[in-house]
Amino acid sequence: MTESIKEGLENETSLTTRIAIWKGTLKAIKNNILTGNGIGTFVWFFPKYRPKTLHSTRPHFAYNEYLHMAAEMGLLAPCIMIWGLLILIKIELII
């Protein structure tokens, strides 16, 4: 196989794995929607929600900052972060 074909296959596997991790993370968010599962605990709570397609894969992160934050701190955390960013942008536009 040529290098470009190998890289394409690896990228497909990486994307498939990330999508599976995102699906498991969404299940975790749904289960603890307001409070999350605890800051820095992704590696410990994720196996409970891990899709069967990941087998024994044990990711330390959700590979998506917003999903990771919501899974660990609840849905309010990403909303507060986005709100804060919008305020900072608005302040910069005023000044």
Side-chain angles (χ1 to χ4, degrees):
M1 257 191 258
T2 65
E3 287 300 315
S4 61
I5 293 174
K6 285 182 184 178
E7 287 176 18
L9 291 174
E10 287 174 6
N11 289 338
E12 184 179 326
T13 302
S14 175
L15 179 62
T16 304
T17 301
R18 285 177 188 238
I19 290 171
I21 291 170
W22 296 340
K23 287 179 180 179
T25 303
L26 287 170
K27 287 180 188 175
I29 293 168
K30 185 178 176 184
N31 220 15
N32 298 294
I33 200 159
L34 290 178
T35 59
N37 292 285
I39 297 172
T41 61
F42 187 86
V43 71
W44 292 291
F45 73 75
F46 185 76
K48 180 179 176 183
Y49 305 102
R50 178 179 52 221
K52 294 181 193 299
T53 57
L54 289 177
H55 307 292
S56 62
T57 302
R58 192 174 178 125
H60 292 117
F61 305 99
Y63 296 99
N64 179 299
E65 292 299 322
Y66 299 106
L67 289 178
H68 190 90
M69 186 183 301
E72 288 191 349
M73 296 184 266
L75 276 182
L76 292 178
C79 294
I80 291 170
M81 186 188 83
I82 291 170
W83 177 71
L85 288 172
L86 291 174
I87 288 175
L88 288 174
I89 291 169
K90 184 177 180 183
I91 290 171
E92 284 295 320
L93 292 176
I94 293 172
I95 295 177

